[in-house]
Structures are given as structure tokens and as C-alpha cells.
Amino acid sequence: MNAKRIIPDSLTCGNLLCGAIAVFLATQGAFIGAFLFILGGALFDFCDGWSARLLKVVSPIGVQLDSLADVITFGLAPAMMLFCYLRPILGWWALLALLMAAFSALRLAKFNVDERQHESFIGLATPANAIFWGGICCLPISVMAYDWMGWCLIALSFVSCYLLNAEIPFFSFKSVKKQRVEVMSFLVGCIILIVFCVIKAIVNKHIEFALFSGTACILWYVTLNLLLAFAKKN
């Protein structure tokens, strides 16, 4: 075995462990901690791909291991967070949230065999989806004042399932040379949203609002890509 492969594979396993811990914390109602471990998994996910390319040790096994880790961290973990978050409101109907884990796995399997996704994505990437839901589940449960709000989140999770596997192009930072304007527009919007959410968190003395900036940024990302896709069709 190439000794260099140990580095990216170890980082991938770090991603998987972060996801496993996030699932456990979600079952304990520690949603902020779960979200922080999802973010940690995203960092490991970025570093394993970067190190594999830097060391030139990209391998089929590494690709499969990466997808297995992503299923846990960006598929099961956010789905479990949403289930545990909605369980006090919707009872066992909250199990519908776990469909997101299955559709995340389908999205990752499609990504592995789709030759069109080397520099951009077809469908919403699972890390983006996980960050979106992680931020929502960190909000105080008191914001779910009515049962219908819980059902709205279930409906929104169905939209996520669709977006994960939709034939809709989403730009990535790998495509910054070809889509510089789009990427820069996204980053400027993110800075504005993060500053707003952080100020909101400081004023209200609730860290949850700062973490919600992740949800806001992903919502902006999805909106921007949908507008671009609509513009190209017309």
C-alpha cells in the first residue's frame, strides 16, 4: 500500500467519525454540537480531496470511502437531526425526515458514476444540504410554535430530496475560472448574510442565530443557481 494514501484516507475517516458523533449528539438533543461536527466533517471532506490531489494518490478505493463517509456525515446526520428536532412536534411522523438520508445516498452514488460533475455539480451537493438543515435544527424549538410549522419543514425536506437528485446545474469552487462572476456574487451575498446573522446573534445573545448563517448562505446558493438555470433555458 502506498504510504501517501494513508493521509487522505485518514482524513476521510475523520469525516466519517465526525458524522457518527453528529448522529449520536442529535439523538441526545445536542443539535448545536451535532451541527459543529457536521461542519468538522465538511472540513475533513475538503482536506481529504485536496491532499489526495496534492499527493497524486487519487484511487477508486479513496473515492468509495469518501462517499461512504459522506453518507454518514451529510446524509444520515442531518436527517437524524431533523427527525429528533421534529419528534416532539410531529411524533413518529417525523420519521419522514429520514428519507433525506436515502436520497443523499442516491445522490452520492450518481455522483460517482456521472462524468459531467468534475468541475460543477448536477443537483445540490450533500454537504450544502447538510449545512442548510444543520442551521435550521439549531434554532430554539420554541420557534416551532405550531404543528403546521413542523409539517412545513417536512415538506421542505422533500424539496431537498428533489434538489439533491435534480438535473439542475450547481456551480462549485472548482469552476471559479469559468464562472467567476457567479462565484463572486455568491461570496459577496454570503458575507452580507453572515454579518447580519452574527449581529443578530450578538444582539439577542443566542449563538443559534450565528449558526443559522449557514442555512441562509445555502438558501442564497440554491436561489442563485436556480436563477442561473432559468436564465440559460430562456
Side-chain angles (χ1 to χ4, degrees), residues 65-87:
L65 179 61
D66 184 69
S67 290
L68 291 171
D70 287 354
V71 167
I72 300 298
T73 305
F74 309 127
L76 180 59
M80 185 62 72
M81 284 183 70
L82 184 58
F83 162 69
C84 295
Y85 186 72
L86 294 178
R87 174 78 172 84

Side-chain angles (χ1 to χ4, degrees), residues 87-200:
R87 174 78 172 84
I89 305 167
L90 302 179
W92 291 110
W93 285 108
L95 283 169
L96 291 169
L98 297 182
L99 285 172
M100 195 159 54
F103 279 88
S104 295
L106 177 60
R107 191 265 181 276
L108 289 163
K110 290 171 64 178
F111 176 81
N112 284 349
V113 298
D114 193 339
E115 296 297 326
R116 300 172 296 168
Q117 302 192 54
H118 291 301
E119 293 187 351
S120 60
F121 301 118
I122 304 296
L124 182 64
T126 53
N129 185 63
I131 291 172
F132 176 83
W133 286 104
I136 287 179
C137 293
C138 285
L139 291 175
I141 195 64
S142 58
V143 302
M144 297 287 108
Y146 304 98
D147 289 354
W148 63 266
M149 297 179 72
W151 284 110
C152 285
L153 289 186
I154 288 293
L156 190 57
S157 74
F158 293 162
V159 175
S160 285
C161 291
Y162 167 74
L163 290 175
L164 285 166
N165 294 279
E167 288 291 313
I168 300 173
F170 285 81
F171 62 78
S172 74
F173 288 103
K174 295 179 183 179
S175 61
V176 64
K177 292 182 179 179
K178 295 181 179 180
Q179 296 179 291
R180 184 170 299 174
V181 174
E182 292 87 342
V183 173
M184 290 305 298
S185 298
F186 169 65
L187 290 176
V188 170
C190 285
I191 291 172
I192 295 172
L193 291 169
I194 291 172
V195 169
F196 175 80
C197 290
V198 169
I199 292 175
K200 184 77 172 176

